[in-house]
Amino acid sequence: MAPSKLPDRILSTTAGTDNVLATLNYSLLALLTCLDIYSRRRIEHAALAVAEKASGALLPGETFIAAISEGSYSRIRRTTTRLRALTDRISDVRMFLRLWGLLGIWEWASEMWKNPPRDTIVMSITWAQIFASVMYQSLENGAYLAQHGVVDWPSEKQTRAWIWSSRFWAAHVALDLGRLWRLNSARQQRSVSQSPKSLAAPEDEHVDTEETKDTDIAVTRPHVHGEDDKWWRQLYVNAAYAPLTLHWSLEGGAVSDLWIGILGTSAGLVGLKHLWRENLHH
């Protein structure tokens, strides 16, 4: 596909749109947080400079009051206020698009029921992930609709729903890390146990052993590199989202807005890179 058509292709799907919006949202959050920090430090530096100059001229007991002109600081403040409003709107759009997320989870569960993984551990983890995803999406949908007056939930119930939805999201991320660990362990065991004959098989030959029949692990040599890329991509994304899910699972939070922006942007860029490559070859 021509590179000029890739943005349209990516934005034509709900997942692609959400990935683009998430990357934009988190990068803007990181930017406005940096601007806030810069503005505060400039004001503090100016105040200290004035205080140092005035301290030598003051008599004991005298008080000095100075007004610092806002100037460029007010422009930075207006910019950060507008950027924060934009990030709030983007977050709202993303949650609105996720209202239909339960349909995607249903399709995932249906596919799992029809074609379960041969590895019983992976299968158990995946069903636990499906349950966590159902709870996360249901609670987020309820809290979002209540926030907009569609559902009559008191503010306390909304707060609990937001927190518990994040906790189920955190559980999903933790389970996915466990699934990736299991896949990697199974792949290493298979690699050690492969016979010299199977290791010498042609690149396009199907390696027909019992251990390579697992649907979660590559069974043909041309797919091995692609499976490795997928495994690492999922690991990077989960590693970036893990601190964020913990942060939103706690009433007092755990990380600053700057780290939310950095980690969220990192996860988004990994996803965008994959979408770009995937659509480039279709």
Side-chain angles (χ1 to χ4, degrees), residues 148-202:
H148 290 271
V150 179
V151 177
D152 187 19
W153 284 5
S155 58
E156 295 81 4
K157 187 174 182 179
Q158 292 181 40
T159 300
R160 288 198 303 271
W162 287 120
I163 292 175
W164 276 101
S165 69
S166 298
R167 289 173 179 173
F168 279 110
W169 182 18
H172 172 88
V173 170
L175 287 166
D176 210 38
L177 289 170
R179 181 185 64 86
L180 292 173
W181 172 83
R182 173 59 183 175
L183 292 178
N184 187 55
S185 298
R187 183 181 300 177
Q188 290 177 349
Q189 292 173 6
R190 187 182 77 253
S191 177
V192 171
S193 62
Q194 279 181 331
S195 65
K197 180 179 178 180
S198 64
L199 290 174

Side-chain angles (χ1 to χ4, degrees), residues 26 43 49 52 57 93 102 105 110 112 127 130 152 182 193-194 244 250 263 274:
Y26 287 122
I43 293 175
E52 288 176 359
V93 170
L102 287 172
I105 298 172
S110 178
M112 271 289 298
W127 278 117
I130 291 173
D152 187 19
R182 173 59 183 175
S193 62
Q194 279 181 331
L244 300 185
L250 303 174
L263 292 170
H274 166 66

Side-chain angles (χ1 to χ4, degrees), residues 71-83:
S72 60
Y73 309 127
S74 63
R75 289 194 294 271
I76 294 175
R77 190 183 306 114
R78 286 196 300 269
T79 300
T80 56
T81 300
R82 291 166 182 170
L83 288 177

